[in-house]
Amino acid sequence: MTVELVVCETCRRPEDPPDAVRPGAELVALMERALADRPDLAASVRLRPMRCLMSCRRPCAVAVRSAARMSYVLGDFAPDEMTVETLTAYLRAYAATEDGIVPFKQWPQGVKGRFISRLPPLED
């Protein structure tokens, strides 16, 4: 079952000038490279940039979702390699679940405190 990582490409920090490169766009580029370098992960994860996740107070924001699993929105990430490693570790743990609920003890340190919301799966 494919996991989708939705990354807000328009996220920016309040102190960023309007014409600056958006940190969200930087995170998209970093995740594209990470998936290209990890074919095993790329086989089960689809990256989907999105213009806005409406989480402007908590940039960089991402959503992790998959059919028949819980979905999560997370924020307050930096567009850097540590975030990429955190997200790839969480995506692997999430993909290994039946319901999308990753036990707390399996959460990478970098996701703790970054959850914004959780949504139940769509029901048929």
Side-chain angles (χ1 to χ4, degrees):
M1 191 178 321
T2 301
V3 173
E4 188 171 63
L5 176 65
V6 181
V7 179
C8 179
E9 64 186 356
T10 57
C11 274
R12 67 184 176 104
R13 296 171 292 257
E15 66 273 8
D16 292 340
D19 58 342
V21 174
R22 301 287 173 119
E26 291 179 64
L27 184 55
V28 168
L30 288 168
M31 287 306 302
E32 285 173 341
R33 279 193 299 254
L35 290 172
D37 292 344
R38 297 171 176 93
D40 61 313
L41 188 61
S44 62
V45 174
R46 177 177 50 233
L47 177 63
R48 179 177 175 207
M50 185 171 170
R51 293 287 304 154
C52 184
L53 283 177
M54 297 182 79
S55 183
C56 301
R57 293 179 190 246
R58 299 198 56 195
C60 294
V62 303
V64 177
R65 64 186 188 170
S66 180
R69 291 184 177 131
M70 297 294 276
S71 297
Y72 298 90
V73 178
L74 301 93
D76 299 318
F77 288 111
D80 59 21
E81 290 300 325
M82 181 179 282
T83 294
V84 169
E85 291 307 314
T86 293
L87 290 174
T88 56
Y90 185 75
L91 288 165
R92 287 181 197 280
Y94 178 87
T97 69
E98 290 288 320
D99 56 8
I101 300 173
V102 177
F104 180 78
K105 64 183 177 186
Q106 293 177 15
W107 289 7
Q109 185 63 35
V111 300
K112 295 176 181 175
R114 298 186 191 282
F115 287 90
I116 296 170
S117 66
R118 169 170 92 161
L119 301 167
L122 288 174
E123 296 185 15
D124 293 330

